Amino acid sequence: MAFLDILKYPDPFLKTMAEPVSEVTDEIRTLIRDMTETMYHARGIGLAATQVGVGKRVVVLDVPDPDDEDRRERGKNLIALINPVIKAEHGTTKYEEGCLSVPGFTADVTRSEVITVETLDLEGRPVDINADGLFAIAIQHEIDHLNGILFIDRLSKLKRDIIKRKIRKALEAEERAL
Ligand code: QAP
Ligand code: CO
């Protein structure tokens, strides 16, 4: 079991494009296990390899069902995506997103409402996933990470500038407190 360090904005690695996984090996499965532990430890619902400094197209997600009583029940909806590609998307939806790489900040982001994603499973077999609701939003958020995009990059220039200034002020205050 290994916890990985989560990179925080403005780490430049968060802007990099991840490379496709050429073969699903034990090394990839170990990365997925470590990312899963790291996500749970940080109390997240999604984590992309880019966020732990690994430039590979790998994502882990455990998005709670909206009508679930115990939303903290782990592993129920756990899934790993390898080389995920959005094949179809419909509609638009808005959700107040956060990110483990931008801790303490949220903003409304508009994304597709319903998506079909092609991905590889843990044995390297291609599978299609149909997603809607928070699951669809989370998949799009994590695929953005693999392409070097953060949720704050999806805001209007005005809102992006405002949130970036707030983050910079918070980081400066943190520095001073040390
Ligand atoms: C991505 O985000 C996501 O600021 C996963 O202090 C975001 O797990 C999917 C978190 C929105 C769908 C909708 C954020 C934890 C976790 C924070 C996360 C924080 C502690 C974010
Ligand atoms: Co994120």
Side-chain angles (χ1 to χ4, degrees):
M1 197 151 105
F3 293 125
L4 309 169
D5 280 335
I6 299 176
L7 303 179
K8 304 285 162 34
Y9 172 88
D11 192 300
F13 194 81
L14 292 170
K15 286 188 156 305
T16 62
M17 183 73 129
E19 294 291 330
V21 170
S22 54
E23 195 187 346
V24 181
T25 58
D26 284 343
E27 185 200 338
I28 295 297
R29 285 183 282 266
T30 299
L31 171 66
I32 287 168
R33 207 187 51 219
D34 293 344
M35 285 173 58
T36 302
E37 296 296 335
T38 303
M39 173 179 74
Y40 288 143
H41 184 245
R43 299 178 158 276
I45 61 168
L47 186 69
T50 306
Q51 294 177 274
V52 292
V54 176
K56 295 195 172 117
R57 302 190 77 79
V58 172
V59 161
V60 295
L61 293 158
D62 190 0
V63 179
D65 298 321
D67 47 357
D68 229 336
E69 285 290 301
D70 185 9
R71 290 168 62 90
R72 295 250 58 95
E73 191 185 334
R74 282 176 180 181
K76 200 160 163 240
N77 295 324
L78 178 62
I79 186 168
L81 307 180
I82 302 168
N83 299 345
V85 175
I86 296 174
K87 296 207 309 187
E89 47 194 323
H90 300 282
T92 58
T93 184
K94 198 164 79 174
Y95 188 83
E96 187 179 349
E97 297 192 12
C99 179
L100 292 171
S101 293
V102 194
F105 293 87
T106 61
D108 281 347
V109 181
T110 301
R111 299 190 186 274
S112 298
E113 188 175 21
V114 183
I115 60 174
T116 304
V117 180
E118 185 174 328
T119 183
L120 300 180
D121 69 12
L122 290 171
E123 277 74 48
R125 293 177 298 236
V127 285
D128 278 2
I129 295 170
N130 297 307
D132 61 12
L134 187 57
F135 186 39
I137 293 166
I139 292 172
Q140 291 170 81
H141 176 112
E142 299 308 334
I143 291 177
D144 267 359
H145 277 301
L146 303 181
N147 295 329
I149 296 168
L150 296 173
F151 78 92
I152 55 176
D153 298 320
R154 295 249 174 231
L155 307 177
S156 69
K157 174 156 171 53
L158 180 64
K159 288 187 175 163
R160 186 167 62 243
D161 286 347
I162 291 168
I163 198 167
K164 279 186 175 175
R165 187 163 66 238
K166 280 187 188 164
I167 297 167
R168 182 153 38 80
K169 294 263 179 209
L171 291 174
E172 281 167 11
E174 239 175 80
E175 288 270 294
R176 277 196 302 278
L178 291 178

